[in-house]
């Protein structure tokens, strides 16, 4: 049964898709419901009319006329009239990187060169047109990432308003280069006009449940740039450990990290991550989640957490969420967020606010008194709201905007109008997107993109099928959806399995957030993603396979 199905898939992939969709039969008994859907696009990948482009640009015109690209002669240069020059670190670094991705493998080897000199492409010109090219700035949610790319008889030109678009164009150009059977490099004549559908396209990494070495984070940033993802949401601390080394409160990581010297992020580490990300057009948004998820904070900061009580009214010796009723808490938070606001240049900080367990607060007699004094009755959501209101005020006072998990929206009403609400609960997430945007807040979708959850088979398909605007609401509401995030929570993820779990599954999210809404063909996506995944492998990313097959270059992992 299994073999028969595989043959059908291999020989007639489209027919199989149709047949499988039309029938309710479970082709591979023994798998949980839903799995058969993930097994649909198996089989040998075909070729896509778009080559190996990923994510698919907004408009691609390509033809079968080819140019040979001789690595030894090829250069990437600042084009005539560009406002950027050799002093623009973002581009200088990118030129070197992309030359290496395209031809690094050939270094020191005799590379076949085919074609007449008239069919050769020997130069890529990069032209940044805006006077304010943003070479020295950090990317933001407003960054212009659009670009135009032309490869024709006159050469190759990338034109972009800002450096950010130039970076995206370089990635696209590198994806157009391929090798023929004797190893010569080719490119088809092509015209591409491109821009992202959503401005916020993120990946969340959790460095508390397992510490991730800085090198693994940098590698993730590389892979993000191959997928045109542009926000690193750094869930840096949580209950299990506090690896962020604070200058004002060094005890937090001295006592709260798994290991106070080896398993921490120093100021230098953090700055390295931020600069590495900037050079790839990626924002770094740190998350300091409170009042729940803060157990590790309590080890290095006495009296920060709420003491819990036993039923008989005596202290139990355990601690709950951050204590919201002491002035010391707010003094501490103010000093800490002052530092954080300085260390992380992005306009936004993520303040968490999810999954607050009220049982400890309920057990504590001083909290009961505070509740009574403030007229909160027994509604502990009002206490949580009171706490978050102070924190939001503190963070605003340092000129930052904030992102929060959906509970903060669900339980509280006084949010700044520019708050970004991240929808994460899978149940009824469409209704939640509708509610958040109806209230006028910007929304980020991550509920269907918890990539720490894995399933047998090709689960990238269901990740890919998600449509962020698929909820009931007006056009104005739809416009408040600013993007989404692929989240990789760390319970079962450390440096050993980070890359294969994230890639290429996060690539499915990347295309959904970059490409046009009309780009929905699973078959075409499969044909391109197989090649894109091999490209990531060739560039040193341990991206897992989609199905049976091989990559030309697998020796770089
Ligand atoms: C590029 O050109 C080749 C050779 O003419 C052709 O076979 C191939 O389909 C073209 N690729 C794309 C993506 O158009
Ligand atoms: C905490 O601060 C408030 C407001 O500034 C003040 O009224 C109150 O007395 C302070 N409480 C303590 C215990 O210092
Ligand atoms: C939108 O959601 C509905 C139900 O929630 C589903 O039936 C439909 O297939 C979805 N459409 C798209 C384009 O995702």
């Amino acid at each position: 049964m299994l073999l028969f199905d595989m043959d059908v898939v291999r020989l007639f992939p489209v027919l199989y898709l149709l047949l499988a969709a039309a029938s309710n039969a479970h082709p591979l008994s023994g798998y949980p419901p839903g799995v058969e859907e993930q097994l649909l696009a198996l089989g040998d990948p075909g070729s896509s009319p778009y080559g190996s482009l990923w994510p698919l640009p907004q408009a691609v015109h390509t033809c079968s006329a080819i140019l040979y690209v001789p690595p030894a002669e090829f250069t990437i240069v600042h084009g005539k009239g560009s406002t950027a020059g050799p002093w623009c670190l973002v581009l200088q670094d990118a030129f070197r990187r992309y030359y290496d991705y395209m031809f690094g493998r050939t270094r020191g080897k005799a590379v076949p060169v085919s074609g007449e000199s008239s069919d050769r492409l020997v130069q890529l010109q990069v032209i940044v047109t805006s006077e304010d090219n943003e070479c020295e700035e950090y990317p933001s949610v407003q960054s212009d990432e659009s670009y135009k790319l032309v490869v024709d008889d006159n050469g190759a030109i990338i034109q972009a308003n800002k450096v950010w678009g130039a970076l995206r164009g370089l990635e696209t150009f590198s994806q157009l280069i391929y090798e023929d059977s004797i190893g010569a490099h080719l490119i088809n004549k092509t015209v591409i006009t491109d821009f992202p559908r959503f401005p916020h396209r993120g990946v969340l990494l959790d460095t508390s449940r397992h510490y991730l070495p800085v090198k693994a984070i940098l590698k993730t940033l590389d892979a993000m740039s191959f997928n045109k993802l542009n926000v690193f949401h750094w869930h840096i601390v949580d209950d299990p450990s506090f690896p962020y080394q604070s200058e004002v409160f060094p005890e937090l990581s001295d006592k709260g990290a798994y290991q106070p010297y080896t398993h921490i992020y120093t100021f230098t580490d953090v700055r390295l991550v931020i600069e590495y990300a900037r050079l790839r057009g990626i924002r770094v948004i740190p998350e300091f989640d409170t009042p729940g998820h803060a157990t590790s904070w309590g080890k290095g900061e006495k009296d920060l957490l709420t003491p819990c009580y036993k039923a008989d009214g005596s202290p139990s010796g355990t601690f709950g969420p951050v204590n919201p009723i002491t002035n010391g808490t707010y003094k501490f938070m103010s000093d800490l967020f002052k530092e954080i606001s300085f260390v992380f240049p992005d306009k936004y900080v993520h303040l968490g606010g999810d999954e607050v367990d009220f049982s400890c607060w309920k057990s504590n007699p001083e909290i009961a008194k505070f509740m009574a004094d403030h007229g909160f009755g027994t509604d502990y959501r009002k206490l949580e709201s009171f706490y978050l209101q102070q924190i939001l005020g503190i963070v605003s006072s340092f000129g930052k905007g904030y992102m929060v998990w959906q509970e903060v929206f669900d339980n509280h009403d006084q949010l700044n109008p520019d708050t970004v609400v991240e929808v994460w609960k899978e149940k009824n997430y469409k209704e939640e997107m509708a509610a958040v945007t109806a209230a006028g807040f910007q929304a980020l979708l991550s509920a269907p993109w918890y990539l720490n959850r894995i399933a047998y088979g090709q689960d990238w398909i269901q990740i890919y099928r998600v449509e962020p605007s698929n909820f009931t609401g007006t056009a104005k509401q739809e416009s408040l959806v600013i993007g989404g995030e692929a989240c990789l929570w760390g319970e079962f993820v450390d440096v050993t399995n980070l890359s294969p779990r994230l890639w290429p599954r996060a690539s499915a999210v990347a295309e959904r957030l970059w490409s046009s809404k009309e780009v929905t063909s699973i078959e075409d996506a499969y044909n391109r993603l197989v090649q894109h995944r091999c490209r990531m492998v060739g560039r040193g990313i341990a991206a897992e396979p989609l199905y049976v097959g091989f990559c030309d270059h697998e020796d770089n992992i």
Side-chain angles (χ1 to χ4, degrees):
M1 180 65 188
L2 180 70
L3 278 177
F4 172 75
D5 271 351
M6 292 307 145
D7 286 342
V8 171
V9 167
R10 216 167 271 138
L11 297 172
F12 310 105
V14 179
L15 177 67
Y16 182 78
L17 278 166
L18 294 174
L19 282 176
S23 111
N24 288 324
H26 207 289
L28 305 168
S29 54
Y31 292 117
V35 166
E36 75 265 40
E37 176 177 83
Q38 298 155 14
L39 295 170
L40 285 183
L42 306 181
D44 294 339
S47 64
S48 162
Y50 305 110
S52 66
L53 290 172
W54 193 281
L56 193 66
Q58 300 287 340
V60 183
H61 299 284
T62 189
C63 69
S64 52
I66 53 172
L67 297 169
Y68 286 90
V69 189
E73 291 162 52
F74 188 80
T75 53
I76 308 176
V77 300
H78 297 282
K80 232 194 192 124
S82 179
T83 62
W87 46 268
C88 179
L89 191 58
V90 173
L91 289 185
Q92 286 306 113
D93 199 60
F95 290 179
R96 183 184 56 188
R97 233 167 37 237
Y98 279 100
Y99 183 89
D100 213 42
Y101 293 143
M102 293 184 284
F103 311 115
R105 202 179 293 118
T106 66
R107 197 169 289 139
K109 292 186 191 152
V111 178
V113 179
S114 310
E116 303 300 317
S117 57
S118 58
D119 318 327
R120 290 194 190 179
L121 179 70
V122 293
Q123 193 173 70
L124 168 63
Q125 294 186 52
V126 177
I127 302 174
V128 182
T129 53
S130 171
E131 212 44 64
D132 177 20
N133 50 44
E134 299 183 9
C135 265
E136 262 129 45
E137 288 172 35
Y138 289 98
S140 75
V141 72
Q142 279 104 25
S143 289
D144 181 348
E145 296 173 284
S146 66
Y147 66 93
K148 194 171 171 194
L149 167 60
V150 179
V151 180
D152 64 16
D153 287 328
N154 301 319
I157 297 181
I158 291 171
Q159 211 170 65
N161 288 327
K162 310 280 181 182
V163 284
W164 318 118
L167 288 177
R168 304 300 172 238
L170 280 162
E171 175 57 40
T172 302
F173 180 83
S174 75
Q175 297 188 0
L176 291 175
I177 303 266
Y178 60 100
E179 287 172 37
D180 69 9
S181 56
I182 59 162
H185 293 80
L186 308 172
I187 191 166
N188 290 39
K189 291 183 187 171
T190 303
V191 176
I192 287 176
T193 313
D194 201 12
F195 53 88
R197 180 178 171 204
F198 294 103
H200 185 122
R201 307 177 306 280
V203 166
L204 175 149
L205 293 186
D206 167 5
T207 57
S208 171
R209 291 183 175 83
H210 284 98
Y211 176 82
L212 294 171
V214 171
K215 219 169 109 184
I217 295 176
L218 302 184
K219 222 169 216 292
T220 303
L221 293 169
D222 282 334
M224 286 174 67
S225 71
F226 306 156
N227 290 275
K228 299 189 170 76
L229 290 162
N230 69 353
V231 180
F232 170 36
H233 175 167
W234 193 350
H235 188 86
I236 190 165
V237 298
D238 202 299
D239 287 323
S241 77
F242 196 106
Y244 171 77
Q245 186 176 50
S246 160
E247 202 175 312
V248 214
F249 300 106
E251 301 248 288
L252 289 171
S253 62
D254 282 351
K255 298 193 172 148
Y258 284 130
Q259 210 292 337
Y261 306 113
T262 58
H263 286 53
I264 57 167
Y265 302 107
T266 63
F267 177 76
T268 313
D269 293 335
V270 170
R271 295 307 297 197
L272 172 63
V273 167
I274 292 169
E275 181 61 6
Y276 198 91
R278 184 183 83 87
L279 293 174
R280 286 154 185 77
I282 298 171
R283 302 161 61 199
V284 178
I285 299 182
E287 178 178 352
F288 285 83
D289 190 358
T290 64
H293 290 286
T295 308
S296 68
W297 303 46
K299 295 184 182 155
E301 181 64 16
K302 207 166 133 306
D303 299 334
L304 179 66
L305 303 183
T306 310
C308 315
Y309 285 71
K310 290 193 269 198
D312 66 10
S314 63
S316 68
T318 61
F319 296 89
V322 168
N323 191 338
I325 67 167
T326 70
N327 290 355
T329 291
Y330 300 108
K331 172 81 173 75
F332 165 83
M333 290 294 176
S334 178
D335 292 344
L336 181 66
F337 277 108
K338 185 175 180 186
E339 173 183 317
I340 290 165
S341 302
F342 166 75
V343 172
F344 293 90
D346 200 85
K347 166 89 180 152
Y348 284 84
V349 178
H350 202 301
L351 298 176
D354 58 321
E355 301 182 306
V356 183
D357 175 7
F358 294 144
S359 58
C360 181
W361 282 354
K362 283 181 185 164
S363 76
N364 182 305
E366 285 174 41
I367 292 205
K369 179 167 182 304
F370 185 92
M371 296 274 291
D373 290 350
H374 284 76
F376 294 162
T378 55
D379 186 352
Y380 286 82
R381 284 180 314 173
K382 288 192 175 142
L383 182 60
E384 185 188 341
S385 173
F386 171 87
Y387 167 80
L388 278 159
Q389 222 58 64
Q390 318 297 314
I391 300 301
L392 300 181
I394 287 169
V395 171
S396 301
S397 77
F398 298 125
K400 294 286 184 182
Y402 41 81
M403 296 173 42
V404 291
W405 296 110
Q406 70 179 71
E407 286 96 321
V408 180
F409 165 78
D410 296 342
N411 299 343
H412 318 284
D413 29 12
Q414 293 166 280
L415 291 171
N416 279 350
D418 64 349
T419 302
V420 177
V421 179
E422 184 159 12
V423 173
W424 70 274
K425 293 188 181 180
E426 190 152 29
K427 190 158 180 262
N428 300 333
Y429 76 81
K430 292 175 185 174
E431 286 77 0
E432 184 76 6
M433 292 293 283
V436 167
T437 54
F441 293 109
Q442 299 171 81
L444 272 182
L445 182 63
S446 60
W449 290 327
Y450 269 35
L451 304 192
N452 44 295
R453 292 199 202 120
I454 47 176
Y456 188 80
Q458 301 211 25
D459 65 347
W460 68 271
I461 297 175
Q462 67 197 44
I463 296 168
Y464 188 78
R465 281 209 175 124
V466 171
E467 170 42 55
S469 68
N470 189 8
F471 58 83
T472 313
T474 61
K476 167 140 197 304
Q477 277 173 266
E478 194 176 327
S479 73
L480 287 167
V481 180
I482 61 167
E485 294 188 341
C487 299
L488 195 67
W489 295 99
E491 283 87 349
F492 306 99
V493 177
D494 73 359
V495 63
T496 62
N497 60 352
L498 168 70
S499 287
R501 194 155 292 195
L502 194 53
W503 310 107
R505 295 158 80 236
S507 304
V509 178
E511 176 150 302
R512 182 54 56 237
L513 294 174
W514 178 283
S515 305
S516 149
K517 190 174 176 177
E518 278 72 48
V519 176
T520 53
S521 162
I522 299 294
E523 206 196 358
D524 184 60
Y526 180 63
N527 293 338
R528 286 181 291 112
L529 189 54
V530 166
Q531 300 178 65
H532 178 56
R533 178 254 157 183
C534 279
R535 176 167 44 234
M536 289 195 277
V537 170
R539 293 179 184 182
I541 306 298
E544 68 178 14
L546 294 173
Y547 189 56
V548 177
F550 75 104
C551 297
D552 286 333
H553 303 286
E554 296 171 343
D555 51 355
N556 210 3
I557 298 298

